[in-house]
Amino acid sequence: MIHMKSYSIPISLLRQYVFCPRIPFFQLLFPAQNSEKPLWVKQGSEYQEKWESLQKRRSLQRFGISENAKLFFNQYVESDEYGIHGYIDLYVIDYNNCYPIEFKSGNNSFIEGGVLQLTGYLVALGANEKINCNRGFIIFKESKKIIEVQNSIANKSKLKNVIERIRESVDRQILPSSDATLSKCSQCEYLRHCNDRNF
């Protein structure tokens, strides 16, 4: 077990917290026990690679972004203010504005976690680039849907709340309660660690 006096939270764990609060707990406190990433994570990475190879040449007008904008893939960002860090799938700089873009496999059934994750990237990217970072986008592979996420006060308030909850559970080393359903638990790599899950 690691000592957690001062640490930065991976932005990807914000989405995981919405899926189940126990996943960040296990990943932060017991990193050596992390198992192979589930299939849906691999599918998301594969979709990102495909998009990268095809879309670099395509118009960015559907996002309201200039075709002359610069694209940056898999870039590291961090926010000292929020205590978070991570790698953005893609971000675009258009004049004095930057836009993070996340790629998701499947449909938009777990959109709340995706919005929270992208909000984390919005604040971290804005802090790193020192330019306006007011909105970003989530692209879903299956539905082809594009969701715009605003760097709003409400979204940042939710972000801070979840970060505080993650830190509290880790600092106190108390397993969070979970209301995860059978469908969630059946695809979770940490199911065997949850002794109160009767599935």
Side-chain angles (χ1 to χ4, degrees), residues 100 117-127 133-136 149-151:
Q117 180 182 18
L118 194 60
T119 302
Y121 287 130
L122 279 164
V123 299
L125 180 58
C133 195
N134 298 321
R135 61 192 178 107
V149 177
Q150 298 288 332
N151 191 8

Side-chain angles (χ1 to χ4, degrees), residues 36-46 105 187 189:
E36 184 178 357
K37 296 296 181 185
L39 179 61
W40 55 267
V41 173
K42 295 180 181 179
Q43 289 172 337
S45 299
E46 289 169 1
S105 62
Q187 58 183 300
E189 67 268 38

Side-chain angles (χ1 to χ4, degrees), residues 79-124:
S79 169
D80 291 335
E81 178 184 354
Y82 285 78
I84 54 177
H85 69 276
Y87 285 86
I88 300 178
D89 289 345
L90 163 67
Y91 75 87
V92 179
I93 294 183
D94 182 18
Y95 299 107
N96 291 320
N97 296 284
C98 57
Y99 309 89
I101 299 174
E102 276 291 298
F103 307 100
K104 302 299 180 189
S105 62
N107 55 39
N108 58 327
S109 56
F110 297 117
I111 186 58
E112 182 184 353
V115 169
L116 190 68
Q117 180 182 18
L118 194 60
T119 302
Y121 287 130
L122 279 164
V123 299

Side-chain angles (χ1 to χ4, degrees), residues 62-63 101 136-140 143-148:
R62 60 180 167 162
F63 299 116
I101 299 174
F137 305 93
I138 302 172
I139 302 175
F140 290 92
S143 65
K144 310 298 183 186
K145 186 171 184 178
I146 298 172
I147 294 176
E148 180 175 320

Side-chain angles (χ1 to χ4, degrees), residues 52-98:
E52 179 177 346
S53 66
L54 295 176
Q55 294 288 102
K56 279 185 179 181
R57 305 176 188 88
R58 295 185 183 177
S59 172
L60 294 169
Q61 289 180 342
R62 60 180 167 162
F63 299 116
I65 299 170
S66 167
E67 290 184 359
N68 297 319
K70 295 181 180 179
L71 281 64
F72 301 88
F73 289 89
N74 297 310
Q75 298 295 309
Y76 178 83
V77 293
E78 62 184 358
S79 169
D80 291 335
E81 178 184 354
Y82 285 78
I84 54 177
H85 69 276
Y87 285 86
I88 300 178
D89 289 345
L90 163 67
Y91 75 87
V92 179
I93 294 183
D94 182 18
Y95 299 107
N96 291 320
N97 296 284
C98 57

